[in-house]
Amino acid sequence: MTNPPTDTPMTPALPRLYAHPFSSYSQKALVALYENDTPFDYRSLEDADAQAELAAAWPIKRFPILVDGGHVILEASCVVEYLDLHYPGPTRLIPADAETALDVRMLDRFFDNYISTPIQKVVDDSLRHEDQRDPTGVTRAKATLDTAYAWLDRRMAGRTWAVGDTFSLADCGAAPFLFYADWTHRIGAHFRHVHAYRQRLLARPSFARAVDEARPYRHYFPLGAPDRD
């Protein structure tokens, strides 16, 4: 007589990240995952199958997105917040203190809107046919970057990370956005606090890993990736 089969506990599925290694917003989410060694299923959008899965999960097909069970988390900032809430690790990316958390979210919006957005304007314009380009818009985008660099330089004087001495959501975004900003519109040498902050971000193991994983795709950068970093 055989014993009845016993149920084998099923291993919970890992959260799946749909992302591209060279994408700045993908790197923002990757830094959060790497910062806390969070296990996840990396669905690189270099793979056509992953692209089809992304389209099925999110028809607009913007990335990164995180799929966790029945949840589809859109937008990199929300992915980071979701990870901090459901997969917390030693580095808490959203501070427990509400006032400090508000400061983190404010800086996150600063890096998205005043560093990443003008970068994208310059990069996108370079991809247009010459007769469709917007030189006035590019000039304004570069001016916004210069103003943002100046503001950030004043803020970072005496600081280690974007909000105090704790690595947070704001730094997850600052890392790739400042990385590509200096490729797109050089950060002036006189913005020494911004340069020092950018170097600290590059030295952070979580971001250094994301940078290394993106190296094979540097030829995708339409302005020409510089021979540095």
Side-chain angles (χ1 to χ4, degrees), residues 17-229:
L17 183 76
Y18 291 88
H20 191 282
F22 197 66
S23 155
S24 58
Y25 280 96
S26 295
Q27 291 176 9
K28 180 175 178 176
L30 287 165
V31 168
L33 288 158
Y34 295 157
E35 187 68 26
N36 283 315
D37 293 321
T38 305
F40 71 105
D41 179 11
Y42 190 168
R43 300 293 289 139
S44 171
L45 294 168
E46 276 290 301
D47 186 316
D49 289 342
Q51 291 181 28
E53 292 168 20
L54 170 68
W58 177 226
I60 291 178
K61 297 186 282 188
R62 296 290 297 271
F63 55 89
I65 69 167
L66 188 77
V67 177
D68 189 26
H71 300 286
V72 178
I73 314 302
L74 314 175
E75 301 295 324
S77 295
C78 294
V79 169
V80 176
E81 291 227 28
Y82 182 88
L83 292 169
D84 194 68
L85 181 63
H86 293 280
Y87 296 92
T91 303
R92 294 310 303 260
L93 300 170
I94 306 295
D97 176 73
E99 290 289 343
T100 309
L102 179 60
D103 205 19
V104 165
R105 292 185 177 98
M106 181 183 74
L107 266 291
D108 175 64
R109 304 321 305 142
F110 166 79
F111 288 115
D112 271 17
N113 292 324
Y114 307 113
I115 301 292
S116 180
T117 296
I119 290 171
Q120 201 60 54
K121 170 64 180 175
V122 177
V123 170
D124 286 350
D125 197 76
S126 74
L127 295 170
R128 295 177 176 179
H129 291 296
E130 205 153 327
D131 61 350
Q132 297 178 328
R133 288 184 180 171
D134 177 17
T136 300
V138 168
T139 297
R140 287 174 178 164
K142 290 180 177 179
T144 297
L145 284 169
D146 283 331
T147 302
Y149 297 159
W151 182 88
L152 183 62
D153 197 67
R154 292 191 296 272
R155 179 180 174 87
M156 292 308 299
R159 293 177 182 268
T160 301
W161 304 114
V163 179
D165 295 326
T166 304
F167 192 91
S168 70
L169 161 66
D171 304 294
C172 291
F177 299 154
L178 288 175
F179 180 78
Y180 288 119
D182 197 47
W183 286 15
T184 303
H185 181 59
R186 289 298 298 269
I187 301 169
H190 56 292
F191 296 130
R192 58 188 183 87
H193 300 301
V194 178
H195 279 288
Y197 177 43
R198 186 175 182 272
Q199 287 305 121
R200 285 194 295 277
L201 291 165
L202 279 163
R204 189 83 175 184
S206 55
F207 184 51
R209 178 176 173 181
V211 169
D212 284 343
E213 290 175 347
R215 288 185 190 280
Y217 308 104
R218 289 191 172 195
H219 60 282
Y220 289 169
F221 194 67
L223 300 175
D227 187 21
R228 54 187 168 84
D229 297 324

